[in-house]
Amino acid sequence: MKKLTKVIAAVSAAAMLAIPANMSAFAYRVDTGKSFSNPLINYDFSAGRGQRWEYENVQGDLPALTRTILEAKGKYTYYATTDTRCNEYGNCDIFALLPLDVATSETINNARPYIDNLSVKSKTGDYYALSLEYSDVSRTDSHRRRPSIPVNPDACDYALRMLEGPYLQDVLNHFYIDTPENINYDYIRSHGGYTGNIYLDNHYIAGMRLSSSDPYTTFETPALEENPKNNGKGFRTRVTFHISDPTPAQVWNFGVPSYVYGSTNYDVLKDLKITCNGDTSYDVKNYIGVGGISKKTLTVPNKAFIYNTPNYTGIVLSPDVRRTLTGSELTTFKSNNFIGYRDNRNTTLNIYVGKNMPINDSRWSTKTGSEKFAGFLNGGGKAKLKNSATIKNLLRNGNVKTVYFFDNATAYTLGAEFYHCSANDLLNILNG
């Protein structure tokens, strides 16, 4: 805002001209009658014309949009305000004021839907962003703190300024977060996410919504509220946002050492920008980045979502075997419904039957021995092993001599042996 402040300060230093005799001492009200025009007319001929509004003697020449016209027009596009000679005002100039029945600090959020309905474009068709700003001209806020201070009910405390380019960007560079220190992985993991607020003091852009390019951050509709920093004078924009836990779905890797190394970084609040009314125009759409807030990088230990186990070389799953499981397949495995194997890379192969693996043969209930093995084969085990090219290749490559079978295996424990046979015998069974 430094540039904008300098511009306003320069014109305010000049003397104000007298108010035209036919004008009210305070902002003229625009309603559905003869006072309405598009574009609106700014009758101010003072040295600060177009930019100053926060003095009572200036407000007398400026248009004020009444609740009547705001409700009648609804979503509406105005041309940029002009002077009495049809000269168009532009960047950094005032579009219109908002009377007290539309906007006060105490009820400022009620004004947001009206503001969101407003769009302003120049005669060339380019749009401006409309920025709401505040000054206690009526002394309504001062009166609330000190009742002895008289209120001027005809003055306006809120105005809408047309902005584009660097002046718009300067406004948007002053966003801030209430508790940025909590945006870290440990907090998000322990709380199931993060909810916070982004603020912009004393400004709101018509139609403003926040967005981020990362998939973890979402934003609610902005709300306007009194600004507690200045004894309740003025307002601020508050946008509540949520960051979800970026930890990926769990992955199990089989046949690898159990220790998981390293970490993965995930950016949140990345490439923050706003959308707003008029952001299709070049000098608006290119100046809507949110400054004051940098992306946050969450460092997630890989062990938070990767589990390595040497217990099983892989899991027998159609059409062959899997050495990595995620999603529903992992859920099924962790419910102990699986056939796993471990290739000991010498002369043995172990086959593990999960304790909840459905084997539809009564002989499976036998504690150990050939009867139990027959129940396993007939109850579905043979079909699963037969369709696995990996298992059959291990049996025929000549290295494996003996195959051991275990039951009651779980995702974490290997169960107990119930049968063993030669590799050739099992291969013949599977090929039979």
Side-chain angles (χ1 to χ4, degrees):
M1 286 301 292
K2 291 182 179 178
K3 294 180 180 178
L4 180 57
T5 302
K6 290 180 180 178
V7 173
I8 294 174
V11 296
S12 66
M16 299 290 184
L17 299 181
I19 301 171
N22 62 338
M23 296 303 298
S24 164
F26 303 103
Y28 75 89
R29 270 39 176 178
V30 178
D31 55 29
T32 54
K34 294 181 179 180
S35 61
F36 175 76
S37 64
N38 189 7
L40 301 172
I41 309 299
N42 182 341
Y43 291 93
D44 182 23
F45 284 95
S46 72
R49 58 185 175 274
Q51 295 189 347
R52 302 308 308 218
W53 69 275
E54 64 274 33
Y55 298 108
E56 292 181 2
N57 59 339
V58 175
Q59 286 196 3
D61 296 327
L62 303 181
L65 296 175
T66 62
R67 186 186 300 272
T68 300
I69 195 67
L70 289 169
E71 292 178 348
K73 291 294 183 183
K75 195 172 186 65
Y76 191 72
T77 299
Y78 288 84
Y79 285 101
T81 305
T82 69
D83 63 18
T84 57
R85 300 183 181 91
C86 296
N87 296 312
E88 190 175 66
Y89 287 105
N91 192 20
C92 294
D93 292 329
I94 294 299
F95 164 65
L97 310 183
L98 298 176
L100 295 180
D101 64 336
V102 175
T104 64
S105 298
E106 192 172 15
T107 61
I108 189 59
N109 197 51
N110 295 336
R112 186 185 57 77
Y114 295 126
I115 299 167
D116 281 351
N117 280 335
L118 300 175
S119 297
V120 176
K121 67 178 179 179
S122 68
K123 293 175 183 177
T124 62
D126 294 320
Y127 284 84
Y128 296 102
L130 278 182
S131 178
L132 180 69
E133 56 187 61
Y134 162 85
S135 182
D136 189 21
V137 183
S138 75
R139 296 174 292 282
T140 298
D141 289 336
S142 295
H143 173 79
R144 290 166 58 202
R145 273 77 191 166
R146 293 178 57 191
S148 61
I149 297 175
V151 173
N152 184 343
D154 295 317
C156 300
D157 290 344
Y158 285 88
L160 293 163
R161 190 181 298 273
M162 300 178 288
L163 292 178
E164 63 179 5
Y167 295 101
L168 171 62
Q169 190 63 69
D170 197 51
V171 169
L172 300 183
N173 284 344
H174 291 83
F175 281 92
Y176 61 94
I177 299 176
D178 52 0
T179 55
E181 66 276 6
N182 288 337
I183 305 179
N184 58 74
Y185 177 69
D186 289 340
Y187 180 94
I188 289 173
R189 186 68 166 168
S190 62
H191 290 79
Y194 171 92
T195 295
N197 296 300
I198 293 176
Y199 294 104
L200 178 62
D201 292 341
N202 298 315
H203 288 283
Y204 174 72
I205 309 300
M208 186 183 86
R209 301 293 184 270
L210 262 67
S211 66
S212 173
S213 66
D214 70 85
Y216 313 107
T217 311
T218 58
F219 302 88
E220 296 185 9
T221 300
L224 307 184
E225 62 187 24
E226 288 185 87
N227 193 340
K229 292 183 178 181
N230 192 25
N231 294 321
K233 284 188 176 182
F235 79 108
R236 65 182 181 182
T237 298
R238 170 176 51 82
V239 182
T240 299
F241 69 101
H242 309 277
I243 299 174
S244 60
D245 186 345
T247 308
Q250 194 172 46
V251 176
W252 277 49
N253 297 316
F254 298 92
V256 292
S258 59
Y259 190 81
V260 177
Y261 294 89
S263 59
T264 304
N265 291 332
Y266 299 90
D267 290 333
V268 297
L269 293 169
K270 185 179 179 182
D271 302 322
L272 277 186
K273 67 177 184 178
I274 72 165
T275 55
C276 63
N277 296 350
D279 62 11
T280 56
S281 288
Y282 177 85
D283 279 334
V284 176
K285 71 180 179 182
N286 290 316
Y287 294 92
I288 54 176
V290 172
I293 299 175
S294 301
K295 71 178 181 182
K296 306 292 184 181
T297 299
L298 306 180
T299 300
V300 181
N302 289 336
K303 64 182 180 180
F305 59 94
I306 296 175
Y307 184 84
N308 292 342
T309 175
N311 284 348
Y312 306 106
T313 303
I315 305 300
V316 179
L317 277 175
S318 180
D320 188 9
V321 299
R322 304 288 177 82
R323 294 185 175 87
T324 297
L325 291 183
T326 61
S328 60
E329 291 179 342
L330 178 58
T331 300
T332 300
F333 168 76
K334 292 173 72 174
S335 69
N336 303 320
N337 177 359
F338 65 88
I339 294 178
Y341 74 96
R342 185 165 71 187
D343 171 16
N344 295 313
R345 301 191 182 280
N346 44 40
T347 60
T348 62
L349 172 68
N350 295 347
I351 303 293
Y352 302 92
V353 183
K355 64 184 299 184
N356 292 326
M357 177 75 188
I359 304 296
N360 300 315
D361 190 293
S362 60
R363 290 171 292 181
W364 176 245
S365 61
T366 305
K367 189 172 182 181
T368 59
S370 58
E371 280 292 296
K372 187 177 183 69
F373 180 61
F376 165 72
L377 294 174
N378 189 62
K382 177 181 177 179
K384 288 183 178 296
L385 295 177
K386 181 177 183 178
N387 290 327
S388 172
T390 297
I391 295 298
K392 294 173 75 173
N393 285 336
L394 287 171
L395 296 174
R396 66 166 64 99
N397 68 13
N399 291 328
V400 174
K401 304 302 181 184
T402 306
V403 182
Y404 294 88
F405 290 85
F406 297 77
D407 65 355
N408 289 316
T410 71
Y412 301 96
T413 59
L414 298 177
E417 181 190 343
F418 69 87
Y419 186 76
H420 67 272
C421 64
S422 71
N424 286 334
D425 287 346
L426 179 59
L427 185 61
N428 290 335
I429 292 172
L430 297 182
N431 288 332

